[in-house]
Amino acid sequence: DQQVKQNSPSLSVQEGRISILNCDYTNSMFDYFLWYKKYPAEGPTFLISISSIKDKNEDGRFTVFLNKSAKHLSLHIVPSQPGDSAVYFCAAVDGGYQKVTFGTGTKLQVIP
Amino acid sequence: NAGVTQTPKFQVLKTGQSMTLQCAQDMNHEYMSWYRQDPGMGLRLIHYSVGAGITDQGEVPNGYNVSRSTTEDFPLRLLSAAPSQTSVYFCASSYSRGGLSGAFFGQGTRLTVV
């Protein structure tokens, strides 16, 4: 049972435009959410996070939105750059702050 | 500043062999965890530790053992390797429980069991 889902395996965006990556979850006990970026042959790198008490968090070009009622979060990258081309994972942390559940990932390609 | 170091980077095992994947961090992080990444499955939590002497199971713990005798090291042991354990393994550490502050990952160990 996949508790964290990223339904789009891939996404292509033109350089300079907005990239929107989506993530849905089913477990209402998740209390904290994170996004990671992963390049080939490297470990994931932390990007941005959001607590369930917030609905938006910004960090430079990256903004994460959380809709608790819909159990949906999204990552917006504006403007997209070729260096953003990577696999993006969303992750959710349970209320005990011990177990982390990752989504299956979305491969973003930013076309110059 | 090494961060999280995993060894080896690549390994081929025969079915039934045992081995230990090493993970060390130099950031004095209490929380460490092991994941495996398989195509179409994302990263799945194998075991985690919230501090020295404390470990617990994640989503897919069967066939793996861990121990945490020091803050720095968190080895993952495969007891009797099976082809289903062919995967890329990542170790991670973080300052906060559950990686709320964002976890640091090692570069991964690509394991093939034949």
Side-chain angles (χ1 to χ4, degrees):
Chain A
D1 178 30
Q2 192 73 29
Q3 297 187 62
V4 180
K5 301 177 184 178
Q6 294 177 256
N7 292 317
S8 298
S10 62
L11 174 68
S12 289
V13 171
Q14 290 286 337
E15 180 179 3
R17 307 293 289 268
I18 184 172
S19 295
I20 300 176
L21 296 97
N22 294 305
C23 181
D24 298 293
Y25 62 96
T26 57
N27 189 343
S28 57
M29 299 303 291
F30 288 142
D31 207 35
Y32 209 85
F33 304 89
L34 308 99
W35 283 94
Y36 286 86
K37 176 171 73 174
K38 185 183 180 304
Y39 294 118
E42 294 184 10
T45 303
F46 169 69
L47 267 179
I48 192 169
S49 62
I50 188 166
S51 163
S52 60
I53 63 172
K54 293 187 173 183
D55 56 15
K56 178 182 173 182
N57 189 27
E58 283 183 83
D59 185 0
R61 297 187 297 114
F62 301 93
T63 302
V64 57
F65 296 91
L66 175 63
N67 183 333
K68 280 193 71 176
S69 60
K71 293 189 175 68
H72 177 84
L73 65 154
S74 60
L75 175 69
H76 293 210
I77 307 173
V78 183
S80 300
Q81 300 173 353
D84 296 329
S85 296
V87 177
Y88 288 79
F89 291 97
C90 65
V93 189
D94 65 13
Y97 302 141
Q98 300 204 28
K99 293 186 179 180
V100 185
T101 303
F102 279 79
T104 52
T106 297
K107 184 175 183 179
L108 172 66
Q109 181 184 21
V110 180
I111 303 165
Chain B
N1 192 3
V4 178
T5 303
Q6 288 183 239
T7 54
K9 287 188 170 50
F10 302 94
Q11 183 71 50
V12 178
L13 283 180
K14 292 183 178 179
T15 298
Q17 286 185 318
S18 62
M19 80 159 294
T20 299
L21 279 63
Q22 302 291 345
C23 176
Q25 53 93 6
D26 61 358
M27 296 171 282
N28 202 31
H29 288 167
E30 293 292 333
Y31 187 90
M32 296 186 73
S33 49
W34 275 101
Y35 295 88
R36 59 178 289 174
Q37 184 188 13
D38 302 293
M41 302 291 287
L43 282 83
R44 291 183 293 169
L45 182 65
I46 305 172
H47 285 286
Y48 65 96
S49 169
V50 299
I54 306 169
T55 64
D56 206 346
Q57 296 181 352
E59 182 184 353
V60 288
N62 292 341
Y64 307 95
N65 270 359
V66 292
S67 59
R68 185 93 179 271
S69 56
T70 67
T71 299
E72 294 79 19
D73 300 299
F74 191 43
L76 178 72
R77 279 182 277 278
L78 279 70
L79 308 174
S80 178
S84 60
Q85 293 179 304
T86 293
S87 187
V88 181
Y89 291 85
F90 290 100
C91 177
S93 76
S94 64
Y95 173 75
S96 56
R97 284 194 173 201
L100 300 187
S101 56
F104 292 82
F105 282 79
Q107 288 205 310
T109 295
R110 184 173 293 274
L111 175 67
T112 303
V113 182
V114 297

